[in-house]
Each structure stands twice: as C-alpha cells, then as structure tokens.
Amino acid sequence: MFTPDSRSRLRDSLIASARSDDRISGAALTGSASVGREDQWSDIDLALAVAADRDQVLADWTDRMYRDHGAVHHLDLGVFRVFLLPDTLQVDIAFWPESEFGPTGPTFRTLFGNPNELPQVSPPAAEHLVGMAWLYALHARSSIARGRVWQAEYMISGVRDEVLALACLRHGVRAVQGRGMDDLPAEIVAPFADALVRSVDPAELRRAFGVVVELLIAEAGRVDVSLAARLSEPLRELVS
C-alpha cells in the first residue's frame, strides 16, 4: 500500500518531469489535492497542457510510467490516462491540448503555465436523471420476469443510484459517480437502505424494486410534480 509520503514523492517527480519537458507548457493539480482535501486514500491527479504532438507525448509519458514507476496497467478515460501502480496508487494524468487547458470545475490549481478560461462542466440535469431511472426500471421489470436475476439486480441498483443522484442535486452536493452520496443528510439516505438488493431471490428482487420505485416517484415529485404524477401509474404498474 502506498503512503502519503511515497505519493508526494512521485507527484513531485512527475511535476519536475513536466517542467523539464519543453513539449509541456502548463500543469495543474486536479482532484482532492488541489483543494486541500487529500487523505491517505487519495490518488494523484495531474493535468498537462501539451504544446506538441499529443500522441507522441502520451506515448513517451506512458513509457516513463512503466519504465520508471513500475505501472502494471493503464486505461484511457477521455483525455485522462489512468495508471495503476504495484502499491495500488492510481495516477491520473490528463493530456490536454494547450487550447483546452484550464479549469472546468472547482478542483484545479495551476502549477505553471497559463490556463484558459473554459466553460464549467454542468451537473447532470434532474429530468435526465429521472429519465435514466425509469429506463433502468423498465429493464428491471423485464429482467425479473425473465428470471435473469443478476441483470435484475444491476437494473434495480441503477434505479437507486439515479434517484440518489437526484437527491444529491437537490442538496447541492456532487451528483456524479456517487461522490456526494455520503454528504447527504442521514434522514435522506436512510430510506435507501431498504432499496438494497440483499439476495438474488426473485421475491427479494421484487421487494427491493418496489421500494426503489416509490423512492423514484417521491424524488421525481421534488423535481416536477406534474412529471411525477404522469410517471407514478406506469412505474407502479412495473412492480404490480
């Protein structure tokens, strides 16, 4: 397991490498470290402004991560290349063209270079989350009916997660990737415990499904009373 000290040493090394690479015109800390919320489990998040051939810079830095820092695997998530190190440290490095280098959210602290003023990433729209929730619900119903119990569990959990995201929006906490769920008031989160699927027994799936549908209807009503009224009957039909 990595330590905060080993993480800091690696981050300092990567920043020094960026400063010495004349193809990199800027760098910033992103993630928890950029806003003073780093803890012992935090990963490394860096954003680099690439002033040259991005593909070549990406290839060279990937080679460095394997050769010098022992990376065991990586994957790409948008402009980020995410590396896994043997000590379980995650290193996220964004390789942005110079024109796209800049803050799109609150977690960005410039280390060097001149960031651009960019549009801020908006949270998901509440109506979209409602739509995703009823879409998961439709598939939960058919999965249960077909005896596809693991798919049913996935779909029921999908409904629950979208409804929790709606609650996050309402309470002004982060509504993506579950990041704000633990910041919700306890009385808001408590009813969702009953929406957890405790086994893949069909009766249990139907029970959890019924709970989560009622939570969806209630939360949708806080977004749009008329929409919730239109959705309530077909949603309840799914679990009848």
Side-chain angles (χ1 to χ4, degrees):
M1 171 71 184
F2 65 90
T3 66
D5 285 344
S6 67
R7 178 182 59 207
S8 293
R9 288 193 298 270
L10 175 56
R11 182 168 51 221
D12 290 345
S13 173
L14 294 172
I15 293 168
S17 295
R19 290 184 184 277
S20 65
D21 190 333
D22 59 12
R23 301 169 300 176
I24 304 297
S25 62
L29 285 180
T30 60
S32 58
S34 70
V35 289
R37 294 204 303 264
E38 191 174 45
D39 63 21
Q40 71 180 92
W41 306 104
S42 297
D43 50 21
I44 292 175
D45 297 284
L46 290 175
L48 305 179
V50 180
D53 182 348
R54 182 182 180 275
D55 290 342
Q56 188 59 56
V57 172
L58 184 62
D60 292 346
W61 275 71
T62 298
D63 288 344
R64 174 182 288 117
M65 290 301 299
Y66 280 91
R67 181 187 66 243
D68 297 343
H69 305 298
V72 297
H73 199 226
H74 72 269
L75 77 157
D76 291 327
L77 297 173
V79 297
F80 281 89
R81 180 152 285 184
V82 182
F83 298 91
L84 173 64
L85 302 192
D87 59 5
T88 72
L89 179 60
Q90 174 185 331
V91 180
D92 299 352
I93 306 177
F95 295 86
W96 285 343
E98 278 185 308
S99 61
E100 298 175 17
F101 178 71
T104 57
T107 55
F108 187 97
R109 178 159 63 88
T110 304
L111 299 170
F112 66 90
N114 298 304
N116 300 286
E117 292 188 12
L118 300 174
Q120 299 295 289
V121 175
S122 300
E127 190 166 336
H128 176 75
L129 294 175
V130 172
M132 288 301 300
W134 64 247
L135 184 59
Y136 277 120
L138 289 173
H139 289 283
R141 188 265 307 270
S142 60
S143 298
I144 294 171
R146 291 167 177 156
R148 299 183 65 82
V149 296
W150 286 105
Q151 185 179 15
E153 190 282 330
Y154 178 91
M155 295 299 174
I156 294 166
S157 295
V159 181
R160 185 195 65 236
D161 292 345
E162 299 296 336
V163 180
L164 277 165
L166 280 167
C168 288
L169 274 185
R170 183 161 59 88
H171 287 270
V173 297
R174 296 186 69 180
V176 296
Q177 299 176 338
R179 293 178 181 269
M181 292 177 184
D182 289 286
D183 300 319
L184 289 168
E187 64 273 17
I188 299 299
V189 177
F192 287 87
D194 286 336
L196 293 170
V197 178
R198 298 163 186 162
S199 77
V200 291
D201 178 79
E204 168 59 15
L205 292 167
R206 287 191 290 270
R207 182 206 64 78
F209 188 30
V211 171
V212 82
V213 160
E214 291 302 323
L215 290 168
L216 168 56
I217 293 168
E219 199 62 45
R222 298 179 178 100
V223 173
D224 184 328
V225 173
S226 175
L227 175 60
R230 298 196 306 273
L231 287 173
S232 60
E233 184 175 346
L235 284 172
R236 288 182 174 127
E237 175 67 21
L238 295 178
V239 298
S240 64

